[in-house]
C-alpha cells in the first residue's frame, strides 16, 4: 500500500535553533500534503495545507514565518520550525493525499516526529 | 464551527469483550465521517468511513453507522483482540470547501489477554 515516510521520528534541539522535518510519499505522487500538530491528550490540529509548486495555506493562528513549509516536488514536503522554543515541543504529523486533490482520494499519514526543544 | 467529540479514554478491556467508542460531531451540512487507528509506533491508518446518512462503514470486524438524527458515528466491535490495542480517532470532513479533516482527541484502547 501507499507509504508516507516522515523523518526524523524524533529530534531534540536547543532553543533558538531551527529544525527541518521531511515528509515523503514513497510510491505515489502527492499534490497535496497536510501538516498537523498534536499535543498530549489533544486532537490533531491542522497547521497548514501544502500544495506542490505553490505557497502553503496556513490555518488561523499558525505563524507562517515560524513554520516554513516547502513542497518543491510531488513526493516531498518539508516543515522547518525556525528559532524553536520549548513551547514548540510537540508531535508533528504529515499526511499526503494520493492522486487528485479530492476528499475522496485516500489520505496517508506519516509516523510523526516528536520534537523536544530544550 | 465544525468539531468532533469522542469519549475520553483510556479504555481497558479483556480479550473478546464488546467495544464501543462514542463519537459525535457538529457540522453545517452533511460531512463525511471517518475512524482512523494509530497502532503503537505507527502512523494513522484509515479504519473505516461513511459518506452519507445511514451508511455503515466496516473493516476488520469494526463497524460504525452514520446517524444524522443523533449526529453520531460510534465505533463498535463485537469481540476485541489484543492486537486491537491502539489509539482510535474519529474525524469528519466538512461538506464543501476545504479538504481538511477535523479530528477528535483520540481514545486509547488497551486489550488485555
Amino acid at each position: 500500500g501507499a507509504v508516507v515516510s516522515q523523518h526524523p521520528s524524533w529530534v531534540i534541539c536547543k532553543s533558538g535553533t531551527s529544525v527541518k522535518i521531511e515528509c515523503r510519499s514513497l510510491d505515489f505522487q502527492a499534490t497535496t500534503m497536510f501538516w498537523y500538530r498534536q499535543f498530549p491528550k489533544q486532537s490533531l490540529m491542522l497547521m497548514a495545507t501544502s500544495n506542490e509548486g505553490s505557497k502553503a495555506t496556513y490555518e488561523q493562528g499558525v505563524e507562517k514565518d515560524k513554520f516554513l513549509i516547502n513542497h518543491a516536488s510531488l513526493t516531498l514536503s518539508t516543515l522547518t520550525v525556525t528559532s524553536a522554543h520549548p513551547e514548540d515541543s510537540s508531535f508533528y504529523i504529515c499526511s499526503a493525499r494520493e492522486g487528485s486533490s479530492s476528499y475522496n482520494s485516500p489520505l496517508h499519514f506519516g509516523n510523526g516526529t516528536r520534537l523536544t526543544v530544550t | 464551527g465544525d468539531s468532533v467529540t469522542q469519549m475520553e479514554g483510556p479504555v481497558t478491556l479483556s480479550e473478546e469483550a464488546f467495544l464501543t467508542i462514542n463519537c459525535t460531531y457538529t457540522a453545517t451540512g452533511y460531512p463525511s465521517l471517518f475512524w482512523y487507528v494509530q497502532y503503537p509506533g505507527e502512523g494513522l491508518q484509515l479504519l473505516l468511513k461513511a459518506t452519507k446518512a445511514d451508511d455503515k462503514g466496516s473493516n476488520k470486524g469494526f463497524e460504525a453507522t452514520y446517524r444524522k438524527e443523533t449526529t453520531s458515528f460510534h465505533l463498535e466491535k463485537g469481540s476485541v483482540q489484543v492486537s486491537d490495542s491502539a489509539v482510535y480517532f474519529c474525524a469528519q470532513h466538512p461538506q464543501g470547501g476545504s479538504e481538511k479533516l477535523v479530528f477528535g482527541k483520540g481514545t486509547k484502547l488497551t486489550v488485555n489477554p
Side-chain angles (χ1 to χ4, degrees):
Chain A
V3 175
V4 172
S5 173
Q6 191 172 336
H7 178 81
S9 56
W10 60 272
V11 58
I12 302 173
C13 70
K14 292 185 176 181
S15 187
T17 61
S18 295
V19 174
K20 179 183 285 188
I21 303 170
E22 293 187 348
C23 180
R24 292 180 184 273
S25 56
L26 296 186
D27 50 2
F28 66 97
Q29 293 185 332
T31 305
T32 305
M33 291 185 175
F34 303 89
W35 287 96
Y36 291 86
R37 183 173 179 177
Q38 185 181 23
F39 293 100
K41 299 184 179 180
Q42 299 291 320
S43 61
L44 280 73
M45 302 300 296
L46 180 66
M47 298 175 66
T49 302
S50 170
N51 295 296
E52 186 268 337
S54 64
K55 291 183 178 181
T57 303
Y58 289 82
E59 295 299 303
Q60 192 172 13
V62 178
E63 299 176 61
K64 60 182 67 177
D65 293 331
K66 181 167 187 62
F67 299 99
L68 300 179
I69 291 173
N70 184 280
H71 193 160
S73 78
L74 285 170
T75 59
L76 173 65
S77 176
T78 60
L79 168 68
T80 301
V81 183
T82 62
S83 187
H85 292 284
E87 58 266 29
D88 299 324
S89 299
S90 191
F91 194 59
Y92 294 87
I93 302 173
C94 75
S95 66
R97 190 170 295 287
E98 183 178 356
S100 62
S101 293
S102 161
Y103 75 88
N104 282 319
S105 300
L107 193 62
H108 305 287
F109 286 81
N111 284 0
T113 298
R114 173 75 60 194
L115 171 63
T116 301
V117 184
T118 61
Chain B
D2 302 315
S3 66
V4 173
T5 302
Q6 62 182 102
M7 65 185 285
E8 289 196 26
V11 174
T12 302
L13 296 174
S14 297
E15 207 164 20
E16 299 184 1
F18 184 86
L19 169 71
T20 300
I21 300 178
N22 290 336
C23 172
T24 57
Y25 66 91
T26 58
T28 52
Y30 303 101
S32 294
L33 303 173
F34 306 83
W35 276 100
Y36 282 84
V37 59
Q38 185 176 29
Y39 297 105
E42 299 183 15
L44 276 74
Q45 303 172 25
L46 178 64
L47 180 60
L48 53 85
K49 69 178 183 180
T51 57
K52 61 182 187 296
D54 299 325
D55 267 2
K56 177 185 284 187
S58 61
N59 186 24
K60 299 181 181 180
F62 291 89
E63 292 183 342
T65 301
Y66 189 144
R67 301 287 188 199
K68 184 179 66 174
E69 62 276 13
T70 54
T71 62
S72 65
F73 193 55
H74 304 322
L75 183 68
E76 297 183 335
K77 185 173 185 181
S79 176
V80 293
Q81 305 300 312
V82 173
S83 58
D84 294 326
S85 298
V87 181
Y88 293 82
F89 292 89
C90 185
Q92 66 158 301
H93 180 268
Q95 184 181 27
S98 166
E99 295 182 59
K100 68 179 181 181
L101 289 176
V102 178
F103 285 89
K105 292 185 178 182
T107 303
K108 183 175 182 179
L109 170 67
T110 301
V111 180
N112 295 318

